Amino acid sequence: MQFSYDTKIEYLKGVGPARATLLQRELGIFTFWDLLSHYPFRYVDRTRFVPIAEIRDTSNYLVTKGYIKKVELLGTGRTQRLAAVLGDSSGSMDLVWFQGVRWVKDYLKPDVEYVVMGKPNYFNGRYTIAHPEMEVFKAEDKELIQTFMPVYSTTEKLKAQGISTKAISKLIFTMLFDLEMQLKETLPKNVVDDNRLMSRHDAICSIHFPKTSGDLQRAVYRLKFEELFFMQLDYQYVKKERKENNSGFVFATIGECFNGFYSNYLPFSLTNAQKRVVREIRNDVRTGKQMNRLLQGDVGSGKTLVALLCMLMAKDNGYQACLMAPTEILATQHFAGISRYLEHMEVKVALLTGSNKATEKRKLKESLKNGDIDILIGTHALIEDDVMFKNLGFVVIDEQHRFGVEQRYKMWTKNSTPPHILVMTATPIPRTLAMTFYGDLDCSVIDELPPGRKPVKTMHQYDSARLKVFDFMENQIAQGRQVYVVYPLIKESEKLDLKDLMDGYESVSRRFPLPKYQISIVHGQMKPADKDYEMDRFKKGITNIMVSTTVIEVGVDVPNATVMVIENSERFGLSQLHQLRGRVGRGGEQSYCILMTADKLSYDGRERIATMVRTNDGFEISEADLKLRGPGDLQGLQQSGVVHLKIADIVQDESIIRLTRNTVMDILQKDPLLETDINTCLKNYLKDKKLQINWGKIS
Ligand code: ADP
Ligand code: MG
C-alpha cells in the first residue's frame, strides 16, 4: 500500500478501525497528516537527571534517578496507598501510588537504580510524585535517555485503549522512520533560504523527536512561520482578488445632499480624524470596486456622523443605504439621532426592528422596494430574506464585535452587485489581530476625540469604602448630575446575579430614599416595554440613579450622566469595562468611573483594574486584554471560525506575524498571479483551497 498524507489513520500499523474511530472522536485525527501535526504540547527534558536536592518547585515535569530506600503500605480499603522513599546521593523524596498498589509493590526492588519521571507536589515539607513513570536505568541505554521526550495530549478513553502519550510517539515514529514518509517543502525556496528556515521534513521530525533544545527551537519557529505565512497568504490573496474582481457601484459625485448637510446642518466641525476617514471612504467608493472597510474608533469618537455622511453620499448618487445595529435600543437611538440631524432635509429615514407591527412592516418593505426610503436603520431584521431594496448601495454595520463574519457576507449577497460595506467597531482591535483576522478588510481609524471632552477619571474602591462612594454620588446628584450603578450579569438567566442586583438596588434605595431621589432599574428579564419606560425616565432626567445590569453596555447616550459605578468590577472583562466607562464623559462635565471590588483580588483581576485606572486609551486596553486573556477568548472570533492556529500564538508571535505579512505582501507585489516557477507551490496551494473560499462567500 502506498501511504500519503491523506491516508486514513486506520491503515497505520498499530491503529486499526477501533482505535481509528477513537482517535477521530477524541482528538479529531482522521489522516496520517492529522497525526503528524498533532504536536507535543510539552517535552520532558531527559538530557539530565535532576538531583533530588535540586528540586525547587512543582511547576515542571522532571526526570530524576535513584534507589528505593523504603516501601510502606499505608491505610486500608479505599484509603490504601503505597508510599516509597526514593533517594540519591543528594537527598530523598517520596513516591506514592493509590492504584495498582500490589503490582507496584512487587515491581519495586532494592539495589536497582530507577529512572523516575513525573510532576512533583510539595507536601508536609517534602516533595512527592504520585504515580510516577518509572523504568530501570540502564547505563548503556544512553540513546534513549539523552533526548527530550515528547508529551502529547490524549484522553482517558484513548489511554484505556492503549493510546498513551508514549504510544502516540511510537505511531509517529513509525510514520516518519519506518515508512520513511517524506514531507514535501511547502514554502518557496527563496523564502526558506532568506529566513534560514529548517526544511519542512526536518522540522516535523524534530518537533516530535528533538535531539537538542536548539533543534527544537528551530523546528517550532519553522512551523509557526509556515502556519502564519499561509494564513497571511489566504487573507491577502482573497483581499486582492476581491479588489480586482468585485466591481462595485461608482459614487461619482458629492452632491446636494452631502453638501447641503455639511454646510447647513452639521452641528459642529468634524475632527481631523473624521475628515480623514470620510476622505478615505470617498476615495474607495469612486473607484468602481466594492469597498470593504473596518472603521475603528473609541467610544464617543463620533463614528455615527461619519456613517451618516457616507449614507448621504449614497443618496447623492441615487442609491439607498442602511445601518445595522446589534440591539433594538441602539437601533432606536440611531434612528432618533439621525432623524434629528436630517429633520430639515428631504431624506426619508425609516426604522425596522423585530418590534414593528406586521402591517407596518409590510408597508415599510413596500416603500423600501419602491425606493421611497433612502436610509433604513435597524437590527438583524434588516438581513432577513424578504427585506428587499430597490438599489442598496451602502451598508453600515455598527459594533461589529456583536456580529459574525457571516452577517457581513449576507449583506453582500443581497444584490447582484454588492454594496459598499463599512463595519464600525468601538472595541479597538490590537494591531496584530487586525492584521490577522481582518486581513481581508481595509482599515480606517478615528484616533481623536471631539474637542472639549474631559477624560473620565477612574478610581478603584474596595467594597468596604461603599459609604464614601455613596457620599460621592450624593454630591454629584446635588450638582444635578446622574449616576449609573452597574452589576455584572454573566448570563441573563442566572438567579444569583439577579439577586446581587436586587440587593444592590435595595441598599441604594435605602441611602437615596424617595421622594427626594428617584431610581430606575433595568435588567434583561424585564419586559421590553418596562425597560424602555425606565430608560426613558433616566434619559429625560426624571430619575437620578440607574441601577442596571450590562444591558446599557453598548451605545446608550445620556450626556448628563457623570458617574459610572461598576459593582464587582473584577468580574468584568476589560473591553466590557471600557464600554461601560464610555457611557459617561459624553457631556462637558468632568465624569468619573468607580470600580468597586472585593478586598481580595486575583492576579488577573488586579491587572485589569490597574489597566483601567491607568489609561483611557482603547488600543492600550485591548492589547492588555489580549495579553491577559489570550486570543482564544476573543468574543466572536473564535465562534466565527477564524482562529485555527495549531502552533502559532497571536500574542507571543507578533514578530513572526509581521514578518510573514511583509513576506507575503512582497511576493504578491512582485508576482501578483504567482506565475513564476518558484511560487508554483503557492499557486497550487490556493487552487486546492479555492473551494473553501468560495463557500465562505456564499454562506
Ligand atoms: P461613537 O463613535 O461611540 O459611536 P458617536 O457617534 O455616538 O460616537 O458620537 C459621540 C458623541 O459625540 C455624540 O453625541 C456626537 O454628537 C458627538 N460628536 C461627534 N462628532 C463630533 C465632533 N466632530 N465634534 C463634537 N462632537 C461630536
Ligand atoms: Mg456608536
Side-chain angles (χ1 to χ4, degrees):
M1 178 166 184
Q2 195 60 36
F3 295 106
S4 76
Y5 292 168
D6 304 332
T7 306
K8 288 210 187 91
I9 196 68
E10 64 170 292
Y11 298 122
L12 183 63
K13 186 163 160 274
V15 180
R19 285 174 163 187
T21 311
L22 260 187
L23 279 169
Q24 285 167 20
R25 256 213 316 266
E26 298 287 303
L27 297 175
I29 291 173
F30 290 81
T31 63
F32 275 34
W33 172 246
D34 290 342
L35 188 57
L36 279 179
S37 59
H38 185 61
Y39 304 133
F41 68 95
R42 189 178 60 218
Y43 301 83
V44 178
D45 180 355
R46 303 193 3 154
T47 56
R48 187 177 100 95
F49 296 107
V50 180
I52 292 173
E54 275 184 28
I55 300 175
R56 288 278 175 275
D57 64 82
T58 56
S59 58
N60 280 312
Y61 262 66
L62 58 86
V63 187
T64 182
K65 197 171 62 154
Y67 293 90
I68 299 294
K69 303 285 182 187
K70 189 169 139 193
V71 182
E72 219 178 344
L73 203 54
L74 301 172
T76 54
R78 295 180 109 251
T79 62
Q80 194 179 52
R81 62 196 187 275
L82 184 72
V85 174
L86 180 79
D88 66 7
S89 58
S90 76
S92 73
M93 70 182 299
D94 298 334
L95 306 175
V96 63
W97 290 264
F98 302 96
Q99 272 145 30
V101 165
R102 308 218 157 263
W103 187 87
V104 179
K105 190 160 179 278
D106 290 340
Y107 172 80
L108 297 178
K109 302 269 189 292
D111 308 321
V112 171
E113 197 174 11
Y114 290 100
V115 175
V116 176
M117 236 181 317
K119 199 170 167 187
N121 281 310
Y122 195 64
F123 213 71
N124 287 338
R126 284 175 66 80
Y127 285 100
T128 308
I129 298 180
H131 287 268
E133 283 187 51
M134 291 178 73
E135 57 194 55
V136 176
F137 173 68
K138 297 189 201 108
E140 71 281 4
D141 213 359
K142 281 257 152 52
E143 246 340 76
L144 185 78
I145 290 165
Q146 291 196 340
T147 59
F148 292 85
M149 195 187 75
V151 183
Y152 296 91
S153 61
T154 172
T155 66
E156 289 308 320
K157 276 191 188 144
L158 282 166
K159 278 188 208 156
Q161 291 303 310
I163 308 184
S164 60
T165 175
K166 254 193 186 142
I168 292 178
S169 174
K170 204 159 157 238
L171 291 174
I172 293 173
F173 190 92
T174 306
M175 277 192 278
L176 289 174
F177 301 105
D178 295 348
L179 300 177
E180 298 187 342
M181 285 189 66
Q182 283 300 314
L183 295 149
K184 268 198 317 235
E185 185 51 72
T186 46
L187 292 167
K189 186 170 180 324
N190 56 334
V191 172
V192 175
D193 293 347
D194 292 352
N195 295 285
R196 280 182 240 109
L197 299 174
M198 206 180 218
S199 78
R200 183 146 185 272
H201 184 81
D202 290 353
I204 296 280
C205 291
S206 297
I207 198 162
H208 291 294
F209 306 103
K211 294 207 176 69
T212 65
S213 67
D215 228 25
L216 178 60
Q217 269 172 24
R218 290 191 61 211
V220 168
Y221 185 85
R222 147 79 210 207
L223 294 170
K224 284 180 172 181
F225 187 101
E226 173 181 330
E227 185 165 51
L228 294 169
F229 178 93
F230 283 104
M231 188 167 77
Q232 287 298 330
L233 183 66
D234 284 350
Y235 287 139
Q236 290 188 35
Y237 196 78
V238 170
K239 181 163 153 184
K240 188 179 81 75
E241 255 206 335
R242 186 187 290 169
K243 276 207 165 135
E244 277 158 15
N245 301 341
N246 281 311
S247 49
F249 299 118
V250 181
F251 293 1
T253 52
I254 290 287
E256 206 177 307
C257 224
F258 184 103
N259 287 330
F261 177 73
Y262 201 96
S263 32
N264 301 325
Y265 303 115
L266 196 62
F268 25 64
S269 50
L270 295 183
T271 61
N272 285 328
Q274 284 171 318
K275 281 186 200 157
R276 187 187 66 237
V277 172
V278 171
R279 256 198 318 271
E280 281 166 359
I281 294 169
R282 160 118 181 84
N283 284 337
D284 274 0
V285 295
R286 63 176 162 205
T287 57
K289 302 287 182 205
Q290 184 220 4
M291 178 186 83
N292 266 283
R293 191 168 274 281
L294 177 70
L295 173 54
Q296 298 187 62
D298 219 337
V299 270
S301 61
K303 294 184 293 292
T304 317
L305 203 55
V306 170
L308 176 59
L309 288 167
C310 297
M311 294 193 289
L312 294 178
M313 239 185 257
K315 177 164 167 64
D316 274 337
N317 289 276
Y319 294 101
Q320 292 169 300
C322 72
L323 189 163
M324 181 160 73
T327 66
E328 197 159 330
I329 291 182
L330 205 51
T332 310
Q333 200 171 284
H334 274 315
F335 175 70
I338 287 179
S339 302
R340 202 156 8 133
Y341 276 136
L342 298 179
E343 65 188 335
H344 303 295
M345 293 188 51
E346 293 284 304
V347 182
K348 183 85 174 67
V349 186
L351 177 68
L352 176 67
T353 68
S355 333
N356 286 74
K357 296 215 175 58
T359 46
E360 229 173 15
K361 220 179 237 173
R362 207 171 323 115
K363 266 200 353 231
L364 205 146
K365 284 178 189 163
E366 199 54 35
S367 22
L368 199 60
K369 231 162 133 182
N370 294 338
D372 293 341
I373 291 174
D374 299 309
I375 294 177
L376 181 66
I377 295 169
T379 53
H380 290 75
L382 290 191
I383 49 175
E384 278 162 24
D385 290 331
D386 60 342
V387 177
M388 280 177 296
F389 293 80
K390 181 171 176 227
N391 56 357
L392 179 63
F394 200 98
V395 173
V396 182
I397 304 179
D398 195 14
E399 307 296 353
Q400 157 80 1
H401 62 295
R402 299 257 169 145
F403 289 115
V405 177
E406 274 154 52
Q407 272 99 342
R408 220 162 79 207
Y409 285 120
K410 199 140 181 190
M411 287 317 296
W412 172 310
T413 51
K414 270 197 173 299
N415 304 18
S416 56
T417 304
H420 300 298
I421 295 183
L422 181 69
V423 172
M424 306 198 296
T425 174
T427 310
I429 299 154
R431 280 168 285 272
T432 40
L433 271 190
M435 260 187 248
T436 313
F437 300 115
Y438 293 96
D440 67 321
L441 296 178
D442 293 309
C443 201
S444 288
V445 181
I446 303 185
D447 49 7
E448 180 188 358
L449 290 180
R453 294 272 172 85
K454 297 195 181 80
V456 178
K457 284 193 179 143
T458 303
M459 295 165 275
H460 174 202
Q461 294 288 353
Y462 292 107
D463 286 342
S464 47
R466 181 168 309 276
L467 295 182
K468 213 171 82 187
V469 174
F470 278 160
D471 290 347
F472 181 77
M473 286 163 58
E474 183 181 22
N475 182 286
Q476 286 284 308
I477 292 169
Q479 295 176 40
R481 306 285 114 70
Q482 288 164 286
V483 178
Y484 293 103
V485 181
V486 178
Y487 285 83
L489 199 56
I490 308 306
K491 281 203 193 87
E492 292 281 315
S493 59
E494 274 182 26
K495 291 269 176 335
L496 194 75
D497 290 331
L498 205 56
K499 186 173 171 303
D500 276 359
L501 176 79
M502 296 322 273
D503 290 352
Y505 175 71
E506 287 209 348
S507 89
V508 173
S509 309
R510 266 197 306 276
R511 177 64 174 73
F512 297 93
L514 285 164
K516 184 164 180 204
Y517 298 100
Q518 299 271 341
I519 304 175
S520 284
I521 180 164
V522 170
H523 59 79
Q525 291 184 2
M526 288 165 66
K527 292 202 191 78
D530 296 341
K531 246 193 272 187
D532 289 347
Y533 173 77
E534 289 293 333
M535 283 306 255
D536 201 48
R537 289 197 332 140
F538 188 67
K539 248 186 241 168
K540 291 198 173 114
I542 300 168
T543 52
N544 313 96
I545 302 174
M546 162 67 80
V547 178
S548 82
T549 58
T550 48
V551 289
I552 56 141
E553 180 189 340
V554 172
V556 172
D557 194 14
V558 180
N560 189 47
T562 56
V563 183
M564 168 64 66
V565 179
I566 306 177
E567 296 286 348
N568 298 115
S569 59
E570 72 272 22
R571 290 173 59 186
F572 288 92
L574 267 175
S575 66
Q576 221 178 358
L577 290 173
H578 184 59
Q579 280 286 330
L580 284 169
R581 179 167 61 186
R583 297 310 108 213
V584 295
R586 310 197 134 231
E589 307 297 335
Q590 177 62 54
S591 289
Y592 305 88
C593 175
I594 302 173
L595 304 170
M596 306 293 295
T597 70
D599 295 341
K600 280 213 175 82
L601 284 175
S602 68
Y603 170 79
D604 276 13
R606 195 183 308 280
E607 282 297 303
R608 282 198 299 271
I609 302 296
T611 305
M612 289 296 293
V613 171
R614 181 179 70 238
T615 178
N616 281 309
D617 178 347
F619 276 95
E620 196 179 331
I621 288 169
S622 71
E623 305 250 353
D625 196 26
L626 189 64
K627 293 219 164 84
L628 284 172
R629 292 195 307 167
D633 245 16
L634 278 177
Q635 199 183 17
L637 293 176
Q638 189 77 342
Q639 292 96 306
S640 58
V642 206
V643 201
H644 280 307
L645 294 173
K646 273 206 153 120
I647 185 164
D649 180 305
I650 296 293
V651 181
Q652 279 165 25
D653 299 324
E654 186 178 336
S655 64
I656 314 181
I657 293 179
R658 281 179 204 287
L659 178 61
T660 51
R661 179 167 177 265
N662 294 338
T663 308
V664 170
M665 252 157 46
D666 199 46
I667 291 174
L668 287 176
Q669 208 156 43
K670 290 188 182 132
D671 183 12
L673 299 174
L674 302 173
E675 285 168 325
T676 54
D677 285 349
I678 204 160
N679 291 329
T680 309
C681 54
L682 303 182
K683 191 166 192 161
N684 291 338
Y685 162 84
L686 286 168
K687 229 189 261 160
D688 289 347
K689 188 103 189 187
K690 193 90 177 171
L691 267 174
Q692 266 168 295
I693 293 169
N694 284 337
W695 182 86
K697 273 187 192 172
I698 294 158
S699 74

